[in-house]
Amino acid sequence: MADGDPSAKPVVDSPERVPGALALLGLLVFRPIDLHYRLREAGIRSPAGRIGQLWREQAEGGRAAGAFVSRMLLLLVVLSPSLTVLVGLGLRLAGVPMRGVYLVSAALCTAVGLVVALISGLASGVLLGSLASVSMLAGLHATAGGAFGPESGGAAAVTVGLCLGIVSGLSAGSIGGLASGRGPSVRNVQVAAIAMSLVPMLVWSSASSVSFAGAVAASALVAFLMCAFRLPFYALEVLAQAVAYAVERFTGKPTLRWVPVRHHNLSYLPHPFLGRHLALAVRSRPAEVLAVADACLRSPGNILVGWPWVVEALERAHAQEAATGPQA
Protein backbone atom coordinates (compact mmCIF):
# COMPACT_ATOMS: atom_id res chain seq x y z
CA MET A 1 0.00 0.00 0.00
CA ALA A 2 1.36 3.41 -0.87
CA ASP A 3 2.08 5.80 1.97
CA GLY A 4 -0.14 8.89 2.16
CA ASP A 5 -2.46 10.28 -0.44
CA PRO A 6 -1.33 9.31 -3.96
CA SER A 7 -2.82 12.55 -5.29
CA ALA A 8 -0.47 14.59 -3.10
CA LYS A 9 2.31 14.24 -5.65
CA PRO A 10 2.13 14.66 -9.41
CA VAL A 11 2.29 11.46 -11.43
CA VAL A 12 4.98 13.08 -13.55
CA ASP A 13 7.23 16.04 -12.97
CA SER A 14 8.65 17.49 -16.19
CA PRO A 15 9.78 21.09 -15.69
CA GLU A 16 11.30 21.03 -19.17
CA ARG A 17 7.74 20.97 -20.58
CA VAL A 18 6.94 24.34 -19.00
CA PRO A 19 7.36 27.01 -21.73
CA GLY A 20 9.59 30.03 -21.33
CA ALA A 21 8.22 33.34 -20.06
CA LEU A 22 7.40 34.92 -23.43
CA ALA A 23 6.03 31.63 -24.80
CA LEU A 24 3.83 31.37 -21.71
CA LEU A 25 2.37 34.79 -22.40
CA GLY A 26 1.65 33.90 -26.03
CA LEU A 27 0.01 30.61 -25.05
CA LEU A 28 -2.06 32.32 -22.36
CA VAL A 29 -3.49 34.79 -24.85
CA PHE A 30 -3.93 32.57 -27.91
CA ARG A 31 -3.85 28.93 -26.76
CA PRO A 32 -4.88 28.75 -23.09
CA ILE A 33 -6.61 25.38 -23.55
CA ASP A 34 -3.49 23.82 -25.07
CA LEU A 35 -1.49 25.36 -22.23
CA HIS A 36 -3.85 23.81 -19.68
CA TYR A 37 -3.17 20.30 -20.97
CA ARG A 38 0.52 20.94 -21.47
CA LEU A 39 0.93 22.07 -17.86
CA ARG A 40 -1.10 19.11 -16.63
CA GLU A 41 1.14 16.78 -18.61
CA ALA A 42 4.15 18.48 -17.02
CA GLY A 43 2.79 17.48 -13.60
CA ILE A 44 1.07 20.70 -12.48
CA ARG A 45 -2.22 19.87 -10.80
CA SER A 46 -3.60 23.43 -10.73
CA PRO A 47 -2.57 25.33 -13.89
CA ALA A 48 -4.83 28.27 -12.93
CA GLY A 49 -4.22 27.97 -9.20
CA ARG A 50 -3.11 30.59 -6.72
CA ILE A 51 0.55 31.17 -5.95
CA GLY A 52 0.07 29.39 -2.62
CA GLN A 53 -1.30 26.28 -4.32
CA LEU A 54 1.56 26.17 -6.80
CA TRP A 55 4.16 26.73 -4.11
CA ARG A 56 2.59 23.88 -2.15
CA GLU A 57 3.01 21.65 -5.20
CA GLN A 58 6.64 22.75 -5.43
CA ALA A 59 7.19 21.93 -1.75
CA GLU A 60 5.79 18.45 -2.41
CA GLY A 61 8.41 17.89 -5.10
CA GLY A 62 6.77 19.45 -8.12
CA ARG A 63 9.63 21.19 -9.91
CA ALA A 64 7.33 21.98 -12.85
CA ALA A 65 5.11 24.07 -10.57
CA GLY A 66 8.15 25.97 -9.34
CA ALA A 67 9.33 26.67 -12.88
CA PHE A 68 5.84 27.85 -13.85
CA VAL A 69 5.63 30.27 -10.90
CA SER A 70 9.09 31.74 -11.48
CA ARG A 71 8.48 32.36 -15.19
CA MET A 72 5.06 33.88 -14.63
CA LEU A 73 6.42 36.18 -11.94
CA LEU A 74 9.20 37.20 -14.32
CA LEU A 75 6.49 38.33 -16.74
CA LEU A 76 4.59 40.27 -14.11
CA VAL A 77 7.40 41.82 -12.08
CA VAL A 78 10.10 42.47 -14.69
CA LEU A 79 8.97 42.22 -18.31
CA SER A 80 5.57 43.92 -18.03
CA PRO A 81 6.78 47.10 -16.22
CA SER A 82 9.79 47.34 -18.53
CA LEU A 83 7.61 47.08 -21.63
CA THR A 84 5.22 49.69 -20.26
CA VAL A 85 8.00 52.20 -19.65
CA LEU A 86 9.58 51.59 -23.07
CA VAL A 87 6.27 51.93 -24.92
CA GLY A 88 5.41 55.06 -22.95
CA LEU A 89 8.72 56.67 -23.81
CA GLY A 90 8.27 55.67 -27.44
CA LEU A 91 4.82 57.28 -27.57
CA ARG A 92 6.14 60.46 -26.04
CA LEU A 93 9.03 60.57 -28.52
CA ALA A 94 6.50 60.05 -31.32
CA GLY A 95 4.70 63.22 -30.20
CA VAL A 96 1.75 61.70 -28.33
CA PRO A 97 0.92 63.96 -25.37
CA MET A 98 1.37 61.94 -22.18
CA ARG A 99 1.03 62.84 -18.53
CA GLY A 100 2.31 61.09 -15.44
CA VAL A 101 5.10 58.70 -14.61
CA TYR A 102 4.69 55.38 -16.40
CA LEU A 103 6.78 53.49 -13.89
CA VAL A 104 4.38 54.38 -11.06
CA SER A 105 1.32 53.02 -12.89
CA ALA A 106 3.29 49.97 -14.02
CA ALA A 107 4.35 49.30 -10.42
CA LEU A 108 0.76 49.69 -9.22
CA CYS A 109 -0.49 47.24 -11.87
CA THR A 110 2.20 44.77 -10.85
CA ALA A 111 1.19 45.12 -7.20
CA VAL A 112 -2.48 44.57 -8.05
CA GLY A 113 -1.50 41.59 -10.20
CA LEU A 114 0.40 40.07 -7.28
CA VAL A 115 -2.62 40.49 -5.01
CA VAL A 116 -4.87 38.83 -7.60
CA ALA A 117 -2.30 36.04 -7.99
CA LEU A 118 -2.42 35.43 -4.25
CA ILE A 119 -6.20 35.44 -3.78
CA SER A 120 -7.56 34.33 -7.17
CA GLY A 121 -4.97 32.73 -9.44
CA LEU A 122 -1.44 33.26 -10.73
CA ALA A 123 -2.50 33.36 -14.38
CA SER A 124 -5.29 35.81 -13.55
CA GLY A 125 -2.89 38.13 -11.80
CA VAL A 126 -0.28 37.99 -14.55
CA LEU A 127 -2.75 38.61 -17.38
CA LEU A 128 -4.70 41.36 -15.64
CA GLY A 129 -1.60 43.07 -14.29
CA SER A 130 0.40 42.89 -17.52
CA LEU A 131 -2.40 43.89 -19.89
CA ALA A 132 -3.63 46.66 -17.59
CA SER A 133 -0.10 48.04 -17.27
CA VAL A 134 0.22 48.55 -21.02
CA SER A 135 -3.39 49.68 -21.55
CA MET A 136 -3.06 52.40 -18.93
CA LEU A 137 -0.70 54.23 -21.28
CA ALA A 138 -3.75 55.13 -23.37
CA GLY A 139 -6.47 54.82 -20.75
CA LEU A 140 -4.72 57.02 -18.19
CA HIS A 141 -1.57 58.79 -19.33
CA ALA A 142 -2.54 59.74 -22.88
CA THR A 143 -6.11 60.54 -21.84
CA ALA A 144 -4.92 62.81 -19.03
CA GLY A 145 -2.44 64.41 -21.42
CA GLY A 146 -5.22 65.41 -23.81
CA ALA A 147 -4.36 63.02 -26.64
CA PHE A 148 -8.08 62.32 -27.14
CA GLY A 149 -9.42 65.77 -26.44
CA PRO A 150 -10.72 67.08 -23.10
CA GLU A 151 -10.19 64.66 -20.22
CA SER A 152 -13.92 64.65 -19.47
CA GLY A 153 -14.99 64.50 -23.13
CA GLY A 154 -16.61 61.75 -25.12
CA ALA A 155 -13.46 60.56 -26.91
CA ALA A 156 -11.64 60.22 -23.59
CA ALA A 157 -14.55 58.22 -22.15
CA VAL A 158 -14.59 55.87 -25.13
CA THR A 159 -10.82 55.37 -24.88
CA VAL A 160 -11.02 54.52 -21.18
CA GLY A 161 -13.88 52.09 -21.83
CA LEU A 162 -12.06 50.42 -24.71
CA CYS A 163 -8.99 49.86 -22.54
CA LEU A 164 -11.11 48.33 -19.77
CA GLY A 165 -12.99 46.11 -22.19
CA ILE A 166 -9.90 44.89 -24.02
CA VAL A 167 -8.06 43.94 -20.84
CA SER A 168 -11.04 42.21 -19.22
CA GLY A 169 -12.24 40.54 -22.44
CA LEU A 170 -8.90 39.02 -23.36
CA SER A 171 -8.28 37.97 -19.75
CA ALA A 172 -11.71 36.37 -19.29
CA GLY A 173 -11.34 33.95 -22.17
CA SER A 174 -7.74 33.06 -21.39
CA ILE A 175 -8.30 32.55 -17.68
CA GLY A 176 -11.41 30.44 -18.27
CA GLY A 177 -9.65 28.30 -20.89
CA LEU A 178 -6.61 27.71 -18.69
CA ALA A 179 -8.71 26.86 -15.64
CA SER A 180 -11.19 24.42 -17.20
CA GLY A 181 -9.48 23.17 -20.36
CA ARG A 182 -12.31 24.47 -22.57
CA GLY A 183 -13.50 27.82 -23.82
CA PRO A 184 -16.08 29.76 -21.78
CA SER A 185 -19.65 29.30 -23.01
CA VAL A 186 -21.36 32.06 -24.96
CA ARG A 187 -23.81 32.57 -22.11
CA ASN A 188 -21.03 32.97 -19.53
CA VAL A 189 -19.26 35.51 -21.73
CA GLN A 190 -22.46 37.52 -22.12
CA VAL A 191 -23.16 37.51 -18.39
CA ALA A 192 -19.57 38.54 -17.63
CA ALA A 193 -19.81 41.37 -20.18
CA ILE A 194 -22.94 42.79 -18.57
CA ALA A 195 -21.46 42.53 -15.08
CA MET A 196 -18.22 44.15 -16.22
CA SER A 197 -20.02 47.09 -17.87
CA LEU A 198 -21.85 47.89 -14.64
CA VAL A 199 -18.59 48.54 -12.77
CA PRO A 200 -17.47 51.64 -14.73
CA MET A 201 -21.06 52.89 -14.72
CA LEU A 202 -21.14 52.82 -10.93
CA VAL A 203 -17.59 54.17 -10.49
CA TRP A 204 -17.67 57.06 -12.95
CA SER A 205 -21.28 58.12 -12.30
CA SER A 206 -20.22 59.20 -8.81
CA ALA A 207 -16.83 60.64 -9.83
CA SER A 208 -17.92 62.31 -13.06
CA SER A 209 -21.03 62.98 -15.13
CA VAL A 210 -23.59 60.30 -15.96
CA SER A 211 -22.96 60.79 -19.68
CA PHE A 212 -19.22 60.19 -19.22
CA ALA A 213 -19.93 57.06 -17.16
CA GLY A 214 -22.40 55.81 -19.77
CA ALA A 215 -19.88 56.28 -22.59
CA VAL A 216 -17.23 54.38 -20.60
CA ALA A 217 -19.65 51.54 -19.80
CA ALA A 218 -20.97 51.23 -23.37
CA SER A 219 -17.53 51.19 -25.00
CA ALA A 220 -16.26 48.76 -22.34
CA LEU A 221 -19.19 46.42 -23.06
CA VAL A 222 -18.54 46.44 -26.81
CA ALA A 223 -14.79 45.96 -26.40
CA PHE A 224 -15.30 43.14 -23.88
CA LEU A 225 -17.58 41.20 -26.22
CA MET A 226 -15.31 41.70 -29.21
CA CYS A 227 -12.20 40.59 -27.31
CA ALA A 228 -13.83 37.74 -25.36
CA PHE A 229 -15.21 36.32 -28.62
CA ARG A 230 -11.89 37.18 -30.36
CA LEU A 231 -13.70 38.91 -33.24
CA PRO A 232 -10.72 41.13 -34.25
CA PHE A 233 -8.75 37.95 -35.05
CA TYR A 234 -11.49 36.40 -37.15
CA ALA A 235 -10.75 38.25 -40.40
CA LEU A 236 -7.12 37.11 -40.21
CA GLU A 237 -8.23 33.54 -39.45
CA VAL A 238 -10.58 33.48 -42.43
CA LEU A 239 -7.81 34.74 -44.70
CA ALA A 240 -5.26 32.27 -43.33
CA GLN A 241 -7.67 29.33 -43.65
CA ALA A 242 -8.66 30.28 -47.20
CA VAL A 243 -5.02 30.64 -48.29
CA ALA A 244 -4.02 27.33 -46.66
CA TYR A 245 -6.89 25.51 -48.37
CA ALA A 246 -6.22 27.12 -51.75
CA VAL A 247 -2.52 26.25 -51.65
CA GLU A 248 -3.18 22.58 -50.89
CA ARG A 249 -6.12 22.41 -53.28
CA PHE A 250 -4.28 23.80 -56.30
CA THR A 251 -0.64 22.90 -55.65
CA GLY A 252 -0.85 19.73 -53.56
CA LYS A 253 1.50 21.20 -50.93
CA PRO A 254 0.51 20.00 -47.42
CA THR A 255 -0.70 23.02 -45.44
CA LEU A 256 -2.70 21.60 -42.53
CA ARG A 257 -0.05 22.91 -40.15
CA TRP A 258 -1.01 26.43 -41.26
CA VAL A 259 -4.69 26.24 -40.32
CA PRO A 260 -5.50 28.85 -37.65
CA VAL A 261 -7.54 26.44 -35.52
CA ARG A 262 -4.22 24.89 -34.46
CA HIS A 263 -2.83 28.24 -33.32
CA HIS A 264 -5.83 29.84 -31.61
CA ASN A 265 -8.15 28.06 -29.20
CA LEU A 266 -10.82 30.68 -28.61
CA SER A 267 -12.39 31.41 -31.99
CA TYR A 268 -16.19 31.44 -31.58
CA LEU A 269 -16.99 31.58 -35.30
CA PRO A 270 -16.45 28.70 -37.78
CA HIS A 271 -13.56 28.85 -40.22
CA PRO A 272 -14.64 28.50 -43.86
CA PHE A 273 -13.06 25.78 -46.01
CA LEU A 274 -11.77 23.90 -42.95
CA GLY A 275 -13.94 20.84 -43.61
CA ARG A 276 -12.97 20.79 -47.28
CA HIS A 277 -9.32 21.18 -46.32
CA LEU A 278 -9.52 18.15 -44.04
CA ALA A 279 -11.23 16.18 -46.80
CA LEU A 280 -8.23 16.75 -49.06
CA ALA A 281 -5.86 15.12 -46.57
CA VAL A 282 -8.05 12.53 -44.86
CA ARG A 283 -6.75 9.62 -46.94
CA SER A 284 -3.11 10.60 -47.41
CA ARG A 285 -2.32 12.14 -43.99
CA PRO A 286 -4.76 10.82 -41.38
CA ALA A 287 -2.44 11.65 -38.48
CA GLU A 288 -2.43 15.35 -39.41
CA VAL A 289 -6.19 15.28 -39.87
CA LEU A 290 -6.64 13.80 -36.40
CA ALA A 291 -4.39 16.52 -34.93
CA VAL A 292 -6.55 19.20 -36.55
CA ALA A 293 -9.69 17.42 -35.34
CA ASP A 294 -8.33 17.53 -31.80
CA ALA A 295 -7.71 21.26 -32.20
CA CYS A 296 -11.29 21.68 -33.46
CA LEU A 297 -12.60 20.22 -30.21
CA ARG A 298 -10.83 23.05 -28.37
CA SER A 299 -12.29 25.76 -30.61
CA PRO A 300 -15.88 26.73 -29.70
CA GLY A 301 -16.68 27.80 -33.25
CA ASN A 302 -15.23 24.73 -34.99
CA ILE A 303 -16.14 21.89 -32.67
CA LEU A 304 -18.62 20.44 -35.19
CA VAL A 305 -15.77 20.07 -37.70
CA GLY A 306 -13.91 17.93 -35.18
CA TRP A 307 -14.04 14.26 -34.30
CA PRO A 308 -17.53 13.29 -35.56
CA TRP A 309 -16.81 14.53 -39.08
CA VAL A 310 -13.28 13.16 -39.12
CA VAL A 311 -14.23 9.71 -37.82
CA GLU A 312 -16.90 9.47 -40.51
CA ALA A 313 -14.44 10.60 -43.20
CA LEU A 314 -11.77 8.11 -42.05
CA GLU A 315 -14.27 5.27 -42.05
CA ARG A 316 -15.43 6.25 -45.53
CA ALA A 317 -11.84 6.40 -46.81
CA HIS A 318 -11.07 3.02 -45.22
CA ALA A 319 -14.14 1.50 -46.85
CA GLN A 320 -13.10 2.86 -50.24
CA GLU A 321 -9.59 1.43 -49.86
CA ALA A 322 -11.04 -1.95 -48.81
CA ALA A 323 -13.35 -1.95 -51.82
CA THR A 324 -10.60 -1.12 -54.32
CA GLY A 325 -7.94 -3.30 -52.72
CA PRO A 326 -8.88 -6.70 -54.24
CA GLN A 327 -9.10 -5.14 -57.71
CA ALA A 328 -5.49 -3.87 -57.55
Side-chain angles (χ1 to χ4, degrees):
M1 180 180 297
D3 294 332
D5 183 3
S7 63
K9 292 185 179 180
V11 177
V12 295
D13 183 32
S14 305
E16 67 277 2
R17 291 187 58 82
V18 179
L22 293 178
L24 272 174
L25 181 60
L27 290 170
L28 270 173
V29 175
F30 294 103
R31 296 168 57 195
I33 301 173
D34 290 341
L35 181 61
H36 169 89
Y37 290 105
R38 180 167 176 174
L39 294 177
R40 292 295 297 269
E41 290 169 0
I44 298 175
R45 297 195 301 270
S46 304
R50 302 184 301 274
I51 288 183
Q53 291 176 288
L54 293 164
W55 275 340
R56 193 176 304 116
E57 290 188 31
Q58 182 182 15
E60 294 169 353
R63 295 173 300 157
F68 180 55
V69 171
S70 63
R71 292 166 193 177
M72 292 289 276
L73 290 180
L74 175 64
L75 277 173
L76 180 61
V77 177
V78 178
L79 298 181
S80 174
S82 301
L83 178 62
T84 300
V85 173
L86 290 175
V87 173
L89 291 174
L91 290 174
R92 171 166 283 182
L93 291 174
V96 179
M98 306 284 286
R99 184 186 300 174
V101 182
Y102 324 121
L103 184 58
V104 173
S105 63
L108 288 175
C109 289
T110 296
V112 171
L114 288 171
V115 172
V116 173
L118 288 168
I119 64 176
S120 178
L122 176 60
S124 305
V126 170
L127 273 177
L128 290 171
S130 300
L131 294 176
S133 181
V134 177
S135 72
M136 284 184 73
L137 291 171
L140 174 64
H141 298 286
T143 300
F148 309 103
E151 190 173 350
S152 58
V158 170
T159 302
V160 172
L162 289 176
C163 291
L164 289 172
I166 290 171
V167 170
S168 54
L170 286 176
S171 299
S174 294
I175 293 168
L178 181 66
S180 62
R182 61 181 182 272
S185 67
V186 173
R187 180 181 177 182
N188 288 343
V189 172
Q190 292 171 333
V191 171
I194 295 172
M196 189 280 307
S197 66
L198 293 176
V199 174
M201 190 69 188
L202 295 174
V203 172
W204 270 278
S205 59
S206 58
S208 184
S209 65
V210 175
S211 60
F212 184 89
V216 173
S219 55
L221 175 62
V222 172
F224 182 96
L225 290 172
M226 290 186 66
C227 291
F229 289 129
R230 307 300 174 100
L231 298 182
F233 300 129
Y234 187 63
L236 296 176
E237 291 175 334
V238 169
L239 178 61
Q241 178 57 64
V243 170
Y245 170 70
V247 170
E248 180 150 351
R249 173 70 176 81
F250 296 108
T251 70
K253 179 181 175 63
T255 57
L256 277 179
R257 66 183 182 278
W258 296 359
V259 296
V261 73
R262 299 188 67 173
H263 306 286
H264 184 213
N265 295 152
L266 297 177
S267 182
Y268 282 79
L269 294 174
H271 297 165
F273 306 112
L274 180 55
R276 297 180 186 179
H277 196 171
L278 291 173
L280 291 177
V282 70
R283 297 184 65 180
S284 60
R285 304 193 309 281
E288 287 187 56
V289 170
L290 291 177
V292 175
D294 187 55
C296 288
L297 291 179
R298 303 178 184 188
S299 175
N302 296 282
I303 192 168
L304 294 180
V305 190
W307 287 103
W309 182 93
V310 170
V311 169
E312 180 183 353
L314 287 173
E315 290 177 348
R316 186 167 57 249
H318 180 71
Q320 291 175 353
E321 290 179 358
T324 58
Q327 300 176 3

